[in-house]
Amino acid sequence: MTELLAPAGNMEALKAAISNGCNAVYLGMQKFGARAYSINFDEDALKEAIEYAHLRNVKVFVTMNTIVFEDEMEDMKAQLEYMNSIGVDGVIVQDLAVFDYIVSHFEDMEAHCSTQMGIDDLEGTLLYKELGAKRVVLSREVPIEKVKEIKRISKVPIEIFVHGALCVSYSGNCLMSGLTGNRSGNRGRCIGSCRKMYEIVDTSANQVLGENYILSMKDLKTIDHIQDLKEVDSLKIEGRMKEPEYVANVVSAYRKALDGKLLKKDKENLAKTFHRTFTKGYVFHEDKKDITNIEKPNNYGFAIGKISGMHKGMYEITLSKTLNQNDIIRIFHNQEDVNLSVAKLYDADGKLINSANKKVYLRIKERLSIGDVVYKTKDIQYYKELEAMLDHEFQRFPLDLKVYAYPESPLMIDASGLGCTYYYESEDILQEAINNPTDAAAVMKQLSRLNDTIFTLNRVDFEENNAFIPAKLLNAARRDIVQGLYEEKLKSKPCRVKEEKVHEKISFDSKQAYLTAFVTTQEQYEACKESGIEEIYFENVIRRNQNEYVDKEGELLVGGYGGVYRYRHSNPFVTDYSLNVVNATAVYQLHKLGAKRVTLSYEMNKEHIDDLIASYKEKNDGYPSLEMIVYGKAPLLFTKYCPLKKMGQCGLCKKKKYILRDDKDEFPILSHEDCTTTILNGMVLNLLDEMPSLDHIEAFRLQFTNESAQEVKRVISLAKQKLEGSLCESVFDANSDTRGHFYKEIV
């Protein structure tokens, strides 16, 4: 059966999801979850959530899908151990250290690969199957045909997103929030940089092509493709930051779709809670130019009419859908929104009314125009319907009872329900009936009062034996049986731990630090060669989220787990920054898979690096082999989407140069041959001065993107002098756009 997996940002949302038919929920705790600004669950609330869900045969998966620094390792392990002890079904992870701890320590708590890992191919799926993953959440960019192929060949349970907000970047491959706003998406603190307004500038002609929300994705909606989706193991609804009413609405619609009960109004109702307009997504081959909504980055609502005139000092609205008192609307005027809560509605005679469906009159202080479209962003009547759906039992479970009642004996009942059995025996002794022995109808009447439970009375076996059973005793028995079966059900979830395996130590001989270079053009490559750089990453780069692998010769720079799987036995390789490595365990695991060097994440400061190296040495009696990027315009995000195509510039990237620009910074657009796009940081990372102070880093990388050959040579010359400790003047002007400090996350 296909699992419907629902988000739960708090207990109310969890109950809303379960009340409307989900098979599983995913939620986060206070630490290590990718939605740090959600309410989330503390230990007591998580235990309550698990008990509530498990009693209803709903699984609970906890997100621990952030990167984890060395000084957080003990907290991470303690959280996992607690989660296992209370019966968490699975953990959704990004960091290799978290993944490794789960698969090596817990027998029953599953490790699921988060979409943050960037797995979008068969090879990456097979790698994690080998490492112990019980499920892989594929990237949102994977088309449905490939999803099915990966599932069929790998035989690994596959999960995909089917509804809700989309990231413009491949998940886990976005540094924009972290490097420009000091709020890391990989740490769960994304500030939504892609939802901001940007100018799109053709720098070749110094022409502004437009100013809009060029990176803001529409929301995913795949309910029209439910038959295709039924072949996937788990269908995931995004929304841990969303209100319980949103969860109830979306879960209800997809439950009905999976059960073949979806009505037209159910699909229409999806627009009545938060959305940014809808797209069928890359999973169902949406055209790149149609996957963003560049007009508006927040709740769009649904059209209900237009401004059609003025009447008695009020605006007349001709309606296509009903407007009610206390609804919230927005009116789109001159490319801006006028938002208001409708406190008073009037008819043509100026009388107050509660509702209208043809024409209505409103007093609005803002200036509007004939033809302005009116949207409803909150339908108060529909929200009342949703509120009634938040906390009821989606299904009740049959309760079977065998009742034994004999005079001069206790009341005895054998109960079965929820796959468990429970035996009840009263302390009181039954008396023989003087006139009216308790009959089956009386027993049924008391034992069927189960409305405040998850049970419905199914079968009762009872023979009259001239005993009198007080109603009070039957009620007490019913309560005891319900509680007893609850406890038996909750005890049935195994929480076994594994014996710890012997750690195989891996370390490397120390080497004199040297420079490597990453280049994007032949001219840059030649400049590096002429400057004496021996290890250059150019045609030997296997990036993350690259789906087709061909045979290569020599050493490779590998950016994704699929590449690790494909080339680990055929080529020496270095892992790239895009694997988001920030701790010693992740470094160790990649060395164990064959990496000759591991490139550290951009999101580390010097203290993080020192902690990693010290921890690695303590566990392995030697040092890791590390690479670190110390110069260049950092890749802020990598996306399948092309903003230039959206602006009618398709194909011109080969002739022109473009940037995005906000109120503070410029971000060069780097277009690739396969029409994917990298948005670069306009501010250059410059840690050349720091190199001599960084011990046990084998290779320092210079990352060249849009620099000229002359600039490449100048930077290499300076870097060599800095690495050798020579005193020299900087080649950078005092006012140049360089950043000479480490990344520092602001919590």
Side-chain angles (χ1 to χ4, degrees), residues 667-683:
F667 307 99
I669 299 174
L670 190 63
S671 299
H672 305 296
E673 287 296 321
D674 61 356
C675 295
T676 55
T677 303
T678 298
I679 306 296
L680 299 172
N681 197 351
M683 188 79 72

Side-chain angles (χ1 to χ4, degrees), residues 189-248:
R189 299 185 176 96
C190 177
I191 60 172
S193 303
C194 57
R195 303 297 182 188
K196 291 173 56 178
M197 183 174 282
Y198 294 95
E199 284 185 336
I200 306 93
V201 183
D202 174 359
T203 57
S204 305
N206 195 26
Q207 178 185 4
V208 177
L209 302 177
E211 184 177 16
N212 52 46
Y213 300 100
I214 188 66
L215 299 179
S216 184
M217 300 282 276
K218 295 178 180 178
D219 282 0
L220 181 64
K221 184 181 77 170
T222 63
I223 201 162
D224 292 324
H225 303 272
I226 202 69
Q227 291 307 315
D228 264 337
L229 293 171
K230 283 182 178 180
E231 297 185 41
V232 183
D233 298 280
S234 181
L235 309 182
K236 187 173 195 171
I237 296 166
E238 185 277 337
R240 283 197 292 128
M241 298 289 288
K242 299 294 199 307
E243 60 191 349
E245 291 84 358
Y246 173 93
V247 175

Side-chain angles (χ1 to χ4, degrees), residues 93-255:
V93 303
Q94 172 186 188
D95 197 301
L96 256 174
V98 186
F99 180 90
D100 175 67
Y101 197 78
I102 296 167
V103 298
S104 61
H105 284 78
F106 307 114
E107 191 73 45
D108 305 295
M109 189 167 69
E110 298 180 349
H112 295 184
C113 296
S114 171
T115 187
Q116 297 289 116
M117 280 187 171
I119 299 174
D120 63 352
D121 53 28
L122 175 63
E123 289 80 1
T125 304
L126 289 172
L127 177 67
Y128 270 94
K129 177 183 181 180
E130 178 184 308
L131 295 177
K134 299 302 182 184
R135 181 181 295 187
V136 171
V137 188
L138 293 176
S139 298
R140 294 172 175 94
E141 290 79 3
V142 183
I144 189 64
E145 297 83 7
K146 191 159 192 175
V147 172
K148 293 177 184 179
E149 179 186 43
I150 292 170
K151 170 182 162 58
R152 176 176 55 81
I153 298 175
S154 71
K155 295 180 171 54
V156 174
I158 296 297
E159 176 181 309
I160 63 170
F161 282 89
V162 296
H163 195 94
L166 291 171
C167 294
V168 68
S169 175
Y170 280 86
S171 292
N173 212 0
C174 181
L175 302 173
M176 197 165 195
S177 179
L179 296 187
T180 66
N182 290 319
R183 302 275 182 172
S184 167
N186 284 318
R187 299 279 289 164
R189 299 185 176 96
C190 177
I191 60 172
S193 303
C194 57
R195 303 297 182 188
K196 291 173 56 178
M197 183 174 282
Y198 294 95
E199 284 185 336
I200 306 93
V201 183
D202 174 359
T203 57
S204 305
N206 195 26
Q207 178 185 4
V208 177
L209 302 177
E211 184 177 16
N212 52 46
Y213 300 100
I214 188 66
L215 299 179
S216 184
M217 300 282 276
K218 295 178 180 178
D219 282 0
L220 181 64
K221 184 181 77 170
T222 63
I223 201 162
D224 292 324
H225 303 272
I226 202 69
Q227 291 307 315
D228 264 337
L229 293 171
K230 283 182 178 180
E231 297 185 41
V232 183
D233 298 280
S234 181
L235 309 182
K236 187 173 195 171
I237 296 166
E238 185 277 337
R240 283 197 292 128
M241 298 289 288
K242 299 294 199 307
E243 60 191 349
E245 291 84 358
Y246 173 93
V247 175
N249 186 30
V250 179
V251 171
S252 174
Y254 279 82
R255 178 75 273 153

Side-chain angles (χ1 to χ4, degrees), residues 5 14 29 67 101 167 265 445 487 502 531 609 659:
L5 177 57
L14 178 139
M29 294 190 71
I67 52 177
Y101 197 78
C167 294
K265 70 172 185 177
K445 179 181 178 181
E487 291 173 3
V502 176
S531 299
I609 296 169
I659 61 168

Side-chain angles (χ1 to χ4, degrees), residues 426-591:
S426 68
E427 294 181 1
D428 296 341
I429 301 299
L430 300 179
Q431 302 298 315
E432 186 170 1
I434 298 173
N435 294 314
N436 298 312
T438 302
D439 59 14
V443 171
M444 291 281 288
K445 179 181 178 181
Q446 301 305 322
L447 295 182
S448 63
R449 293 179 174 177
L450 295 164
N451 285 342
D452 59 345
T453 76
I454 62 174
F455 291 113
T456 183
L457 195 59
N458 182 45
R459 179 178 175 179
V460 177
D461 292 335
F462 173 72
E463 291 184 9
E464 294 182 23
N465 292 287
N466 204 38
F468 172 69
I469 313 172
K472 182 178 179 180
L473 182 57
L474 285 169
N475 289 334
R478 183 190 68 245
R479 290 190 291 267
D480 189 271
I481 288 167
V482 167
Q483 187 59 37
L485 286 171
Y486 282 0
E487 291 173 3
E488 289 298 316
K489 173 67 174 177
L490 295 175
K491 284 193 302 186
S492 66
K493 173 70 169 68
C495 307
R496 296 169 295 173
V497 295
K498 296 179 180 179
E499 290 185 13
E500 194 161 354
K501 294 181 179 179
V502 176
H503 178 77
E504 176 191 349
K505 296 178 181 180
I506 301 174
S507 62
F508 297 82
D509 295 332
S510 295
K511 296 181 181 179
Q512 183 70 35
Y514 55 91
L515 297 174
T516 66
F518 174 98
V519 301
T520 54
T521 68
Q522 186 66 37
E523 291 75 16
Q524 291 171 348
Y525 177 83
E526 296 299 336
C528 288
K529 291 288 285 184
E530 291 172 16
S531 299
I533 302 294
E534 294 184 4
E535 292 192 38
I536 306 170
Y537 308 123
F538 183 28
E539 294 181 345
N540 58 340
V541 175
I542 310 298
R543 72 185 185 204
R544 173 173 168 167
N545 305 119
Q546 175 172 319
N547 300 113
E548 294 184 8
Y549 305 107
V550 296
D551 290 344
K552 296 269 188 178
E553 293 184 0
E555 180 180 299
L556 305 176
L557 178 67
V558 175
Y561 291 113
V564 171
Y565 182 84
R566 170 62 176 80
Y567 295 105
R568 61 180 171 158
H569 297 308
S570 60
N571 298 75
F573 67 94
V574 177
T575 59
D576 206 357
Y577 75 91
S578 49
L579 292 186
N580 295 326
V581 173
V582 297
N583 57 65
T585 303
V587 173
Y588 173 83
Q589 291 298 324
L590 289 171
H591 281 324

Side-chain angles (χ1 to χ4, degrees), residues 692-709:
S693 68
L694 291 164
D695 296 326
H696 308 295
I697 303 293
E698 180 176 328
F700 292 105
R701 189 195 306 174
L702 311 174
Q703 191 94 352
F704 297 115
T705 49
N706 58 1
E707 291 87 351
S708 67

